[in-house]
Amino acid sequence: MTESDQPSSTRTPFTTTTRGPIAPTGEPATVSPARWDAIVADLAERGVTGTPELVSAHAVTWKSGALGCPSPGVSYTQALIDGLRVLVSADGTTYDYRFGTSDTPLLCAR
């Protein structure tokens, strides 16, 4: 078979990206008082003493129950989950909180 006899591929080649900070995605959203209180309580449990300030909040459809922040060795629901990504700043540190359908926050520590 010659080179011209080879079938041509119409597949797009794989591309790779470097992991880095995830920029907010989705539409801007409002953080409910219950969710804000849950974030403040979680930060207090972690010993954060500064006053938390909202950096951003975006509605996100997560691809699984991991809410975009999987832990190695943990199994998650494999379904689309409408939720919220909230970035909060306190004591000079930014915290990345994720919500699914409940008011319980997941701190995504990357």
Side-chain angles (χ1 to χ4, degrees), residues 5-102:
D5 294 333
Q6 297 281 335
S8 64
S9 175
T10 57
R11 290 179 24 189
T12 304
F14 289 109
T15 58
T16 59
T17 60
T18 304
R19 275 185 92 164
I22 299 173
T25 61
E27 294 294 318
T30 303
V31 180
S32 71
R35 288 183 172 184
W36 183 256
D37 290 345
I39 289 171
V40 171
D42 186 74
L43 288 170
E45 282 181 24
R46 295 173 188 279
V48 177
T49 58
T51 302
E53 294 182 25
L54 180 66
V55 174
S56 67
H58 289 82
V60 178
T61 299
W62 306 108
K63 294 181 182 181
S64 74
L67 307 180
C69 194
S71 294
V74 178
S75 297
Y76 296 96
T77 302
Q78 298 301 304
L80 296 178
I81 298 173
D82 290 330
L84 188 67
R85 179 171 187 236
V86 181
L87 297 179
V88 175
S89 177
D91 293 339
T93 301
T94 300
Y95 299 90
D96 182 352
Y97 280 98
R98 313 291 176 90
F99 289 91
T101 56
S102 76

